[in-house]
PDB file of all heavy atoms in Angstrom:
ATOM      1  N   MET A  10       0.810  -1.217   0.000  1.00 91.00           N
ATOM      2  CA  MET A  10       0.000   0.000   0.000  1.00 91.00           C
ATOM      3  C   MET A  10       0.854   1.282   0.000  1.00 91.00           C
ATOM      4  O   MET A  10       0.350   2.354   0.333  1.00 91.00           O
ATOM      5  CB  MET A  10      -0.969   0.029   1.194  1.00 91.00           C
ATOM      6  CG  MET A  10      -1.950  -1.114   1.196  1.00 91.00           C
ATOM      7  SD  MET A  10      -2.930  -1.189  -0.332  1.00 91.00           S
ATOM      8  CE  MET A  10      -4.063  -2.511   0.049  1.00 91.00           C
ATOM      9  N   THR A  11       2.097   1.180  -0.403  1.00 94.00           N
ATOM     10  CA  THR A  11       2.938   2.361  -0.571  1.00 94.00           C
ATOM     11  C   THR A  11       2.854   2.828  -2.020  1.00 94.00           C
ATOM     12  O   THR A  11       2.383   2.099  -2.900  1.00 94.00           O
ATOM     13  CB  THR A  11       4.396   2.034  -0.234  1.00 94.00           C
ATOM     14  OG1 THR A  11       4.867   1.023  -1.148  1.00 94.00           O
ATOM     15  CG2 THR A  11       4.528   1.530   1.197  1.00 94.00           C
ATOM     16  N   PRO A  12       3.303   4.053  -2.317  1.00 92.00           N
ATOM     17  CA  PRO A  12       3.326   4.509  -3.723  1.00 92.00           C
ATOM     18  C   PRO A  12       4.122   3.571  -4.621  1.00 92.00           C
ATOM     19  O   PRO A  12       3.733   3.307  -5.763  1.00 92.00           O
ATOM     20  CB  PRO A  12       3.963   5.892  -3.622  1.00 92.00           C
ATOM     21  CG  PRO A  12       3.595   6.371  -2.255  1.00 92.00           C
ATOM     22  CD  PRO A  12       3.649   5.154  -1.378  1.00 92.00           C
ATOM     23  N   ARG A  13       5.249   3.046  -4.119  1.00 94.00           N
ATOM     24  CA  ARG A  13       6.043   2.107  -4.920  1.00 94.00           C
ATOM     25  C   ARG A  13       5.250   0.828  -5.206  1.00 94.00           C
ATOM     26  O   ARG A  13       5.337   0.242  -6.298  1.00 94.00           O
ATOM     27  CB  ARG A  13       7.337   1.776  -4.169  1.00 94.00           C
ATOM     28  CG  ARG A  13       8.203   0.700  -4.828  1.00 94.00           C
ATOM     29  CD  ARG A  13       8.874   1.162  -6.100  1.00 94.00           C
ATOM     30  NE  ARG A  13       9.638   0.102  -6.719  1.00 94.00           N
ATOM     31  CZ  ARG A  13      10.862  -0.283  -6.358  1.00 94.00           C
ATOM     32  NH1 ARG A  13      11.482   0.340  -5.344  1.00 94.00           N
ATOM     33  NH2 ARG A  13      11.481  -1.251  -6.991  1.00 94.00           N
ATOM     34  N   TYR A  14       4.473   0.390  -4.235  1.00 92.00           N
ATOM     35  CA  TYR A  14       3.631  -0.799  -4.406  1.00 92.00           C
ATOM     36  C   TYR A  14       2.634  -0.579  -5.554  1.00 92.00           C
ATOM     37  O   TYR A  14       2.477  -1.431  -6.438  1.00 92.00           O
ATOM     38  CB  TYR A  14       2.907  -1.069  -3.096  1.00 92.00           C
ATOM     39  CG  TYR A  14       1.929  -2.228  -3.088  1.00 92.00           C
ATOM     40  CD1 TYR A  14       2.362  -3.537  -2.912  1.00 92.00           C
ATOM     41  CD2 TYR A  14       0.552  -2.009  -3.194  1.00 92.00           C
ATOM     42  CE1 TYR A  14       1.474  -4.593  -2.864  1.00 92.00           C
ATOM     43  CE2 TYR A  14      -0.351  -3.057  -3.154  1.00 92.00           C
ATOM     44  CZ  TYR A  14       0.116  -4.348  -2.984  1.00 92.00           C
ATOM     45  OH  TYR A  14      -0.779  -5.398  -2.935  1.00 92.00           O
ATOM     46  N   ALA A  15       1.971   0.568  -5.555  1.00 92.00           N
ATOM     47  CA  ALA A  15       1.014   0.877  -6.616  1.00 92.00           C
ATOM     48  C   ALA A  15       1.713   0.960  -7.967  1.00 92.00           C
ATOM     49  O   ALA A  15       1.179   0.503  -8.991  1.00 92.00           O
ATOM     50  CB  ALA A  15       0.293   2.182  -6.301  1.00 92.00           C
ATOM     51  N   TRP A  16       2.911   1.541  -7.982  1.00 93.00           N
ATOM     52  CA  TRP A  16       3.670   1.663  -9.232  1.00 93.00           C
ATOM     53  C   TRP A  16       4.029   0.281  -9.792  1.00 93.00           C
ATOM     54  O   TRP A  16       3.869   0.032 -10.986  1.00 93.00           O
ATOM     55  CB  TRP A  16       4.935   2.481  -8.991  1.00 93.00           C
ATOM     56  CG  TRP A  16       5.891   2.475 -10.148  1.00 93.00           C
ATOM     57  CD1 TRP A  16       7.019   1.721 -10.284  1.00 93.00           C
ATOM     58  CD2 TRP A  16       5.782   3.235 -11.364  1.00 93.00           C
ATOM     59  NE1 TRP A  16       7.632   1.952 -11.481  1.00 93.00           N
ATOM     60  CE2 TRP A  16       6.890   2.886 -12.169  1.00 93.00           C
ATOM     61  CE3 TRP A  16       4.868   4.167 -11.828  1.00 93.00           C
ATOM     62  CZ2 TRP A  16       7.096   3.446 -13.428  1.00 93.00           C
ATOM     63  CZ3 TRP A  16       5.077   4.729 -13.085  1.00 93.00           C
ATOM     64  CH2 TRP A  16       6.175   4.361 -13.869  1.00 93.00           C
ATOM     65  N   GLU A  17       4.489  -0.604  -8.934  1.00 92.00           N
ATOM     66  CA  GLU A  17       4.856  -1.943  -9.392  1.00 92.00           C
ATOM     67  C   GLU A  17       3.637  -2.709  -9.894  1.00 92.00           C
ATOM     68  O   GLU A  17       3.714  -3.437 -10.886  1.00 92.00           O
ATOM     69  CB  GLU A  17       5.543  -2.715  -8.257  1.00 92.00           C
ATOM     70  CG  GLU A  17       6.856  -2.128  -7.785  1.00 92.00           C
ATOM     71  CD  GLU A  17       7.963  -2.220  -8.826  1.00 92.00           C
ATOM     72  OE1 GLU A  17       7.768  -2.882  -9.857  1.00 92.00           O
ATOM     73  OE2 GLU A  17       9.039  -1.628  -8.601  1.00 92.00           O
ATOM     74  N   LEU A  18       2.512  -2.565  -9.213  1.00 92.00           N
ATOM     75  CA  LEU A  18       1.290  -3.218  -9.687  1.00 92.00           C
ATOM     76  C   LEU A  18       0.912  -2.750 -11.084  1.00 92.00           C
ATOM     77  O   LEU A  18       0.440  -3.517 -11.917  1.00 92.00           O
ATOM     78  CB  LEU A  18       0.132  -2.938  -8.726  1.00 92.00           C
ATOM     79  CG  LEU A  18       0.050  -3.753  -7.433  1.00 92.00           C
ATOM     80  CD1 LEU A  18      -1.145  -3.308  -6.609  1.00 92.00           C
ATOM     81  CD2 LEU A  18      -0.043  -5.240  -7.723  1.00 92.00           C
ATOM     82  N   ALA A  19       1.131  -1.465 -11.335  1.00 92.00           N
ATOM     83  CA  ALA A  19       0.719  -0.892 -12.613  1.00 92.00           C
ATOM     84  C   ALA A  19       1.690  -1.186 -13.746  1.00 92.00           C
ATOM     85  O   ALA A  19       1.286  -1.206 -14.918  1.00 92.00           O
ATOM     86  CB  ALA A  19       0.555   0.628 -12.467  1.00 92.00           C
ATOM     87  N   THR A  20       2.967  -1.436 -13.428  1.00 93.00           N
ATOM     88  CA  THR A  20       3.977  -1.518 -14.488  1.00 93.00           C
ATOM     89  C   THR A  20       4.615  -2.898 -14.648  1.00 93.00           C
ATOM     90  O   THR A  20       5.281  -3.146 -15.657  1.00 93.00           O
ATOM     91  CB  THR A  20       5.099  -0.494 -14.220  1.00 93.00           C
ATOM     92  OG1 THR A  20       5.718  -0.786 -12.959  1.00 93.00           O
ATOM     93  CG2 THR A  20       4.538   0.924 -14.205  1.00 93.00           C
ATOM     94  N   ALA A  21       4.437  -3.803 -13.693  1.00 93.00           N
ATOM     95  CA  ALA A  21       5.066  -5.122 -13.780  1.00 93.00           C
ATOM     96  C   ALA A  21       4.512  -5.910 -14.961  1.00 93.00           C
ATOM     97  O   ALA A  21       3.327  -5.800 -15.309  1.00 93.00           O
ATOM     98  CB  ALA A  21       4.838  -5.898 -12.487  1.00 93.00           C
ATOM     99  N   GLY A  22       5.371  -6.704 -15.577  1.00 93.00           N
ATOM    100  CA  GLY A  22       4.906  -7.545 -16.677  1.00 93.00           C
ATOM    101  C   GLY A  22       4.076  -8.712 -16.199  1.00 93.00           C
ATOM    102  O   GLY A  22       3.114  -9.121 -16.850  1.00 93.00           O
ATOM    103  N   THR A  23       4.430  -9.260 -15.028  1.00 93.00           N
ATOM    104  CA  THR A  23       3.707 -10.389 -14.453  1.00 93.00           C
ATOM    105  C   THR A  23       3.398 -10.117 -12.986  1.00 93.00           C
ATOM    106  O   THR A  23       4.278  -9.680 -12.235  1.00 93.00           O
ATOM    107  CB  THR A  23       4.529 -11.689 -14.552  1.00 93.00           C
ATOM    108  OG1 THR A  23       4.863 -11.942 -15.918  1.00 93.00           O
ATOM    109  CG2 THR A  23       3.738 -12.870 -13.995  1.00 93.00           C
ATOM    110  N   LEU A  24       2.168 -10.345 -12.597  1.00 94.00           N
ATOM    111  CA  LEU A  24       1.743 -10.219 -11.208  1.00 94.00           C
ATOM    112  C   LEU A  24       1.446 -11.622 -10.677  1.00 94.00           C
ATOM    113  O   LEU A  24       0.752 -12.396 -11.336  1.00 94.00           O
ATOM    114  CB  LEU A  24       0.490  -9.354 -11.098  1.00 94.00           C
ATOM    115  CG  LEU A  24       0.576  -7.946 -11.693  1.00 94.00           C
ATOM    116  CD1 LEU A  24      -0.796  -7.284 -11.650  1.00 94.00           C
ATOM    117  CD2 LEU A  24       1.602  -7.108 -10.958  1.00 94.00           C
ATOM    118  N   VAL A  25       1.970 -11.938  -9.495  1.00 94.00           N
ATOM    119  CA  VAL A  25       1.753 -13.250  -8.900  1.00 94.00           C
ATOM    120  C   VAL A  25       1.059 -13.061  -7.555  1.00 94.00           C
ATOM    121  O   VAL A  25       1.522 -12.276  -6.721  1.00 94.00           O
ATOM    122  CB  VAL A  25       3.079 -14.009  -8.700  1.00 94.00           C
ATOM    123  CG1 VAL A  25       2.810 -15.404  -8.136  1.00 94.00           C
ATOM    124  CG2 VAL A  25       3.845 -14.106 -10.015  1.00 94.00           C
ATOM    125  N   ALA A  26      -0.041 -13.752  -7.349  1.00 93.00           N
ATOM    126  CA  ALA A  26      -0.789 -13.648  -6.099  1.00 93.00           C
ATOM    127  C   ALA A  26      -1.212 -15.034  -5.651  1.00 93.00           C
ATOM    128  O   ALA A  26      -1.370 -15.945  -6.465  1.00 93.00           O
ATOM    129  CB  ALA A  26      -2.022 -12.768  -6.274  1.00 93.00           C
ATOM    130  N   ASN A  27      -1.389 -15.197  -4.326  1.00 93.00           N
ATOM    131  CA  ASN A  27      -1.953 -16.458  -3.841  1.00 93.00           C
ATOM    132  C   ASN A  27      -3.339 -16.242  -3.241  1.00 93.00           C
ATOM    133  O   ASN A  27      -3.916 -17.133  -2.654  1.00 93.00           O
ATOM    134  CB  ASN A  27      -1.021 -17.153  -2.850  1.00 93.00           C
ATOM    135  CG  ASN A  27      -0.937 -16.428  -1.520  1.00 93.00           C
ATOM    136  OD1 ASN A  27      -1.471 -15.332  -1.350  1.00 93.00           O
ATOM    137  ND2 ASN A  27      -0.246 -17.032  -0.572  1.00 93.00           N
ATOM    138  N   GLN A  28      -3.867 -15.039  -3.395  1.00 89.00           N
ATOM    139  CA  GLN A  28      -5.259 -14.777  -3.063  1.00 89.00           C
ATOM    140  C   GLN A  28      -5.781 -13.614  -3.903  1.00 89.00           C
ATOM    141  O   GLN A  28      -6.417 -13.824  -4.911  1.00 89.00           O
ATOM    142  CB  GLN A  28      -5.479 -14.495  -1.586  1.00 89.00           C
ATOM    143  CG  GLN A  28      -6.960 -14.286  -1.253  1.00 89.00           C
ATOM    144  CD  GLN A  28      -7.253 -14.353   0.234  1.00 89.00           C
ATOM    145  OE1 GLN A  28      -6.379 -14.544   1.060  1.00 89.00           O
ATOM    146  NE2 GLN A  28      -8.519 -14.218   0.588  1.00 89.00           N
ATOM    147  N   SER A  29      -5.480 -12.381  -3.503  1.00 87.00           N
ATOM    148  CA  SER A  29      -6.001 -11.254  -4.272  1.00 87.00           C
ATOM    149  C   SER A  29      -5.129 -10.030  -4.083  1.00 87.00           C
ATOM    150  O   SER A  29      -4.375  -9.924  -3.112  1.00 87.00           O
ATOM    151  CB  SER A  29      -7.437 -10.930  -3.842  1.00 87.00           C
ATOM    152  OG  SER A  29      -7.472 -10.606  -2.457  1.00 87.00           O
ATOM    153  N   PHE A  30      -5.238  -9.114  -5.019  1.00 86.00           N
ATOM    154  CA  PHE A  30      -4.625  -7.810  -4.895  1.00 86.00           C
ATOM    155  C   PHE A  30      -5.687  -6.833  -4.380  1.00 86.00           C
ATOM    156  O   PHE A  30      -6.876  -7.168  -4.319  1.00 86.00           O
ATOM    157  CB  PHE A  30      -4.097  -7.344  -6.254  1.00 86.00           C
ATOM    158  CG  PHE A  30      -2.890  -8.116  -6.715  1.00 86.00           C
ATOM    159  CD1 PHE A  30      -2.962  -8.981  -7.796  1.00 86.00           C
ATOM    160  CD2 PHE A  30      -1.673  -7.975  -6.058  1.00 86.00           C
ATOM    161  CE1 PHE A  30      -1.862  -9.696  -8.210  1.00 86.00           C
ATOM    162  CE2 PHE A  30      -0.556  -8.682  -6.468  1.00 86.00           C
ATOM    163  CZ  PHE A  30      -0.652  -9.544  -7.545  1.00 86.00           C
ATOM    164  N   PRO A  31      -5.299  -5.622  -3.987  1.00 85.00           N
ATOM    165  CA  PRO A  31      -6.298  -4.641  -3.541  1.00 85.00           C
ATOM    166  C   PRO A  31      -7.404  -4.450  -4.566  1.00 85.00           C
ATOM    167  O   PRO A  31      -7.185  -4.560  -5.775  1.00 85.00           O
ATOM    168  CB  PRO A  31      -5.464  -3.362  -3.360  1.00 85.00           C
ATOM    169  CG  PRO A  31      -4.089  -3.846  -3.097  1.00 85.00           C
ATOM    170  CD  PRO A  31      -3.926  -5.085  -3.922  1.00 85.00           C
ATOM    171  N   HIS A  32      -8.603  -4.163  -4.079  1.00 84.00           N
ATOM    172  CA  HIS A  32      -9.761  -4.103  -4.973  1.00 84.00           C
ATOM    173  C   HIS A  32      -9.631  -3.015  -6.027  1.00 84.00           C
ATOM    174  O   HIS A  32     -10.263  -3.085  -7.086  1.00 84.00           O
ATOM    175  CB  HIS A  32     -11.040  -3.880  -4.157  1.00 84.00           C
ATOM    176  CG  HIS A  32     -11.101  -2.537  -3.491  1.00 84.00           C
ATOM    177  ND1 HIS A  32     -11.640  -1.438  -4.115  1.00 84.00           N
ATOM    178  CD2 HIS A  32     -10.688  -2.116  -2.269  1.00 84.00           C
ATOM    179  CE1 HIS A  32     -11.560  -0.399  -3.298  1.00 84.00           C
ATOM    180  NE2 HIS A  32     -10.989  -0.784  -2.166  1.00 84.00           N
ATOM    181  N   TRP A  33      -8.785  -2.005  -5.766  1.00 87.00           N
ATOM    182  CA  TRP A  33      -8.646  -0.917  -6.728  1.00 87.00           C
ATOM    183  C   TRP A  33      -7.650  -1.233  -7.838  1.00 87.00           C
ATOM    184  O   TRP A  33      -7.542  -0.501  -8.812  1.00 87.00           O
ATOM    185  CB  TRP A  33      -8.216   0.377  -6.020  1.00 87.00           C
ATOM    186  CG  TRP A  33      -7.134   0.214  -4.997  1.00 87.00           C
ATOM    187  CD1 TRP A  33      -7.294   0.146  -3.652  1.00 87.00           C
ATOM    188  CD2 TRP A  33      -5.725   0.099  -5.232  1.00 87.00           C
ATOM    189  NE1 TRP A  33      -6.081   0.006  -3.014  1.00 87.00           N
ATOM    190  CE2 TRP A  33      -5.100  -0.023  -3.963  1.00 87.00           C
ATOM    191  CE3 TRP A  33      -4.929   0.104  -6.379  1.00 87.00           C
ATOM    192  CZ2 TRP A  33      -3.716  -0.161  -3.825  1.00 87.00           C
ATOM    193  CZ3 TRP A  33      -3.552  -0.034  -6.248  1.00 87.00           C
ATOM    194  CH2 TRP A  33      -2.961  -0.156  -4.979  1.00 87.00           C
ATOM    195  N   ALA A  34      -6.924  -2.323  -7.714  1.00 86.00           N
ATOM    196  CA  ALA A  34      -5.929  -2.671  -8.734  1.00 86.00           C
ATOM    197  C   ALA A  34      -6.614  -3.245  -9.972  1.00 86.00           C
ATOM    198  O   ALA A  34      -7.506  -4.081  -9.869  1.00 86.00           O
ATOM    199  CB  ALA A  34      -4.931  -3.674  -8.167  1.00 86.00           C
ATOM    200  N   ARG A  35      -6.184  -2.801 -11.128  1.00 88.00           N
ATOM    201  CA  ARG A  35      -6.701  -3.299 -12.401  1.00 88.00           C
ATOM    202  C   ARG A  35      -5.535  -3.658 -13.313  1.00 88.00           C
ATOM    203  O   ARG A  35      -4.654  -2.833 -13.550  1.00 88.00           O
ATOM    204  CB  ARG A  35      -7.588  -2.244 -13.091  1.00 88.00           C
ATOM    205  CG  ARG A  35      -8.879  -1.936 -12.344  1.00 88.00           C
ATOM    206  CD  ARG A  35      -9.831  -3.113 -12.371  1.00 88.00           C
ATOM    207  NE  ARG A  35     -11.061  -2.841 -11.658  1.00 88.00           N
ATOM    208  CZ  ARG A  35     -11.260  -3.103 -10.374  1.00 88.00           C
ATOM    209  NH1 ARG A  35     -10.293  -3.646  -9.652  1.00 88.00           N
ATOM    210  NH2 ARG A  35     -12.408  -2.837  -9.802  1.00 88.00           N
ATOM    211  N   THR A  36      -5.522  -4.874 -13.808  1.00 89.00           N
ATOM    212  CA  THR A  36      -4.429  -5.302 -14.665  1.00 89.00           C
ATOM    213  C   THR A  36      -4.618  -4.751 -16.076  1.00 89.00           C
ATOM    214  O   THR A  36      -5.746  -4.582 -16.552  1.00 89.00           O
ATOM    215  CB  THR A  36      -4.339  -6.829 -14.737  1.00 89.00           C
ATOM    216  OG1 THR A  36      -5.611  -7.363 -15.158  1.00 89.00           O
ATOM    217  CG2 THR A  36      -3.996  -7.406 -13.375  1.00 89.00           C
ATOM    218  N   ARG A  37      -3.494  -4.477 -16.734  1.00 89.00           N
ATOM    219  CA  ARG A  37      -3.524  -4.049 -18.121  1.00 89.00           C
ATOM    220  C   ARG A  37      -3.538  -5.281 -19.031  1.00 89.00           C
ATOM    221  O   ARG A  37      -3.177  -6.383 -18.619  1.00 89.00           O
ATOM    222  CB  ARG A  37      -2.286  -3.191 -18.425  1.00 89.00           C
ATOM    223  CG  ARG A  37      -2.267  -1.866 -17.662  1.00 89.00           C
ATOM    224  CD  ARG A  37      -0.996  -1.066 -17.931  1.00 89.00           C
ATOM    225  NE  ARG A  37       0.162  -1.677 -17.283  1.00 89.00           N
ATOM    226  CZ  ARG A  37       1.141  -2.295 -17.918  1.00 89.00           C
ATOM    227  NH1 ARG A  37       1.082  -2.439 -19.239  1.00 89.00           N
ATOM    228  NH2 ARG A  37       2.166  -2.802 -17.260  1.00 89.00           N
ATOM    229  N   ARG A  38      -3.956  -5.095 -20.265  1.00 88.00           N
ATOM    230  CA  ARG A  38      -4.040  -6.214 -21.203  1.00 88.00           C
ATOM    231  C   ARG A  38      -2.682  -6.872 -21.416  1.00 88.00           C
ATOM    232  O   ARG A  38      -2.595  -8.071 -21.691  1.00 88.00           O
ATOM    233  CB  ARG A  38      -4.603  -5.736 -22.541  1.00 88.00           C
ATOM    234  CG  ARG A  38      -6.079  -5.385 -22.495  1.00 88.00           C
ATOM    235  CD  ARG A  38      -6.586  -5.008 -23.880  1.00 88.00           C
ATOM    236  NE  ARG A  38      -8.005  -4.678 -23.868  1.00 88.00           N
ATOM    237  CZ  ARG A  38      -8.978  -5.580 -23.981  1.00 88.00           C
ATOM    238  NH1 ARG A  38      -8.667  -6.865 -24.110  1.00 88.00           N
ATOM    239  NH2 ARG A  38     -10.244  -5.213 -23.967  1.00 88.00           N
ATOM    240  N   SER A  39      -1.634  -6.093 -21.314  1.00 91.00           N
ATOM    241  CA  SER A  39      -0.293  -6.624 -21.555  1.00 91.00           C
ATOM    242  C   SER A  39       0.270  -7.382 -20.350  1.00 91.00           C
ATOM    243  O   SER A  39       1.294  -8.057 -20.456  1.00 91.00           O
ATOM    244  CB  SER A  39       0.666  -5.492 -21.911  1.00 91.00           C
ATOM    245  OG  SER A  39       0.737  -4.539 -20.861  1.00 91.00           O
ATOM    246  N   GLN A  40      -0.383  -7.285 -19.197  1.00 93.00           N
ATOM    247  CA  GLN A  40       0.117  -7.947 -18.004  1.00 93.00           C
ATOM    248  C   GLN A  40      -0.412  -9.377 -17.879  1.00 93.00           C
ATOM    249  O   GLN A  40      -1.518  -9.684 -18.321  1.00 93.00           O
ATOM    250  CB  GLN A  40      -0.288  -7.167 -16.743  1.00 93.00           C
ATOM    251  CG  GLN A  40       0.444  -5.853 -16.562  1.00 93.00           C
ATOM    252  CD  GLN A  40      -0.015  -5.118 -15.312  1.00 93.00           C
ATOM    253  OE1 GLN A  40      -1.215  -4.873 -15.131  1.00 93.00           O
ATOM    254  NE2 GLN A  40       0.929  -4.753 -14.452  1.00 93.00           N
ATOM    255  N   VAL A  41       0.400 -10.212 -17.258  1.00 94.00           N
ATOM    256  CA  VAL A  41      -0.014 -11.572 -16.900  1.00 94.00           C
ATOM    257  C   VAL A  41      -0.289 -11.598 -15.404  1.00 94.00           C
ATOM    258  O   VAL A  41       0.558 -11.189 -14.608  1.00 94.00           O
ATOM    259  CB  VAL A  41       1.080 -12.605 -17.243  1.00 94.00           C
ATOM    260  CG1 VAL A  41       0.702 -13.986 -16.704  1.00 94.00           C
ATOM    261  CG2 VAL A  41       1.301 -12.663 -18.747  1.00 94.00           C
TER     262      VAL A  41
END
């Protein structure tokens, strides 16, 4: 929940979770 956390969520090529990300996070079409 830091600014860097939000930045990484928005720009990473691949996101890995074992449950869920914050409800406000939205993946881009280019992200896995």
Side-chain angles (χ1 to χ4, degrees):
M10 299 303 185
T11 62
R13 174 71 182 279
Y14 177 82
W16 171 260
E17 296 292 351
L18 281 179
T20 60
T23 303
L24 304 173
V25 183
N27 70 353
Q28 183 165 1
S29 59
F30 289 111
H32 67 89
W33 44 260
R35 294 292 180 269
T36 55
R37 294 177 288 109
R38 289 184 179 274
S39 60
Q40 289 179 306
V41 173

